[in-house]
Amino acid sequence: MPLEVYGTTLASRLFLGTAQYPSPAILAEAVRAAGCEVVTVSLRREASSERAGHAFWQLIRNLGMRVLPNTAGCHTVKEAVTTAQMAREVFDTPWIKLEVIRDDDTLQPEVYGLVEAARVLASEGFQVFPYTTEDLGVADRLLEAGCEVLMPWGAPIGSGRGLNNVYALRSLRAHFPDIPLVVDAGLGLPSHAAQAMELGYDAILLNTAVAKAGDPVAMAKAFALAIEAGRTGYLADPMEARDMAAASTPLLGMAFRS
């Protein structure tokens, strides 16, 4: 079944970032290999150089991708809201990946500012994709603020550590069975993505794990396959884990048993 967010139906459950690739050509190849439909873009990159920004934006347009602008680098509500408003003008979309960062070492979300910025942006008609922690209380506040999707981190951005708190991510899934949940940040291996999908998450957002791989194109393809495998495994209703062994071969009919 396709993924639906804010009334938009997506066949692919992989969102891909567009920063740090060795070249624009490799970025384009990786996007195609991933088979994704959504890419994240930074307003700061678009505005950093008029010529480079134009060329990058033209590349994204040529790929036919849906754009999810982000507020990367923002530390306050005012910065995030202003950046989102500018991004809407530049990219002509109500979608915004909302980041309000508290700490530069971990890039952990500043959750109080995140909720407030989400409330302001939702009231202005934005469709907000909040980058958050796996905290249930914060998730509740973001939904109350008008968010229709949540994007909890797997681990700190760019760390490649995988899912740091599987228990909390599982709890988040259980508490919000009908809310689209996208793991955003911290994944390094395709197996991390498969694990998140096996937990019942709806999609994955990646950047560094693909862009910084030795072969970004091959890694993009590997993540796409892992996400598909993880989703299929989740839908297949996996067996419960056991503490003790359970024979998989029937004992009935054995010649000898003492």
Side-chain angles (χ1 to χ4, degrees):
M1 180 181 297
L3 172 64
E4 182 168 325
V5 287
Y6 289 112
T8 297
T9 301
L10 301 170
S12 171
R13 294 174 182 269
L14 171 55
F15 300 178
L16 204 57
T18 55
Q20 306 183 74
Y21 285 83
S23 71
I26 292 177
L27 164 61
E29 286 186 60
V31 168
R32 294 190 188 99
C36 61
E37 299 167 75
V38 177
V39 295
T40 61
V41 296
S42 169
L43 178 66
R44 291 170 185 268
R45 174 173 180 168
E46 180 69 10
S48 62
S49 165
E50 183 174 347
R51 179 170 297 178
H54 176 76
F56 171 76
W57 184 219
Q58 191 58 49
L59 170 67
I60 298 301
R61 284 178 166 173
N62 291 342
L63 289 169
M65 296 289 106
R66 178 176 286 275
V67 173
L68 176 58
N70 65 53
T71 63
C74 293
H75 290 74
T76 67
V77 173
K78 183 178 181 180
E79 285 179 355
V81 169
T82 301
T83 300
Q85 292 168 338
M86 295 172 66
R88 181 161 60 179
E89 294 298 320
V90 172
F91 298 109
D92 191 27
T93 174
W95 281 16
I96 190 72
K97 181 193 168 190
L98 180 61
E99 295 184 23
V100 181
I101 300 301
R102 172 65 181 179
D103 175 74
D104 284 333
D105 288 331
T106 64
L107 298 179
Q108 180 163 336
E110 199 285 272
V111 295
Y112 300 102
L114 180 70
V115 171
E116 179 58 25
R119 193 183 313 281
V120 172
L121 292 172
S123 71
E124 295 182 3
F126 282 90
Q127 295 172 338
V128 182
F129 295 68
Y131 162 65
T132 183
T133 64
E134 62 281 89
D135 186 284
L136 289 174
V138 176
D140 250 339
R141 295 292 183 271
L142 288 167
L143 297 175
E144 289 172 0
C147 297
E148 296 182 12
V149 58
L150 299 172
M151 302 180 71
W153 65 351
I157 292 173
S159 66
R161 294 177 55 85
L163 306 183
N164 265 357
N165 194 339
V166 172
Y167 168 78
L169 290 170
R170 184 180 288 116
S171 295
L172 196 67
R173 177 73 284 175
H175 274 75
F176 304 108
D178 300 322
I179 300 298
L181 298 179
V182 182
V183 168
D184 176 13
L187 305 190
L189 296 170
S191 57
H192 298 157
Q195 183 185 18
M197 298 303 290
E198 288 167 357
L199 290 175
Y201 276 70
D202 296 288
I204 303 292
L205 194 158
L206 296 167
N207 191 163
T208 309
V210 173
K212 290 297 186 182
D215 186 340
V217 177
M219 189 59 80
K221 179 66 174 178
F223 267 104
L225 293 172
I227 289 168
E228 183 178 348
R231 177 68 179 173
T232 303
Y234 169 72
L235 294 176
D237 190 14
M239 62 171 282
E240 294 288 336
R242 295 168 52 95
D243 291 330
M244 302 297 291
S248 57
T249 302
L251 300 179
L252 184 65
M254 290 183 65
F256 302 97
R257 180 174 172 78
S258 60

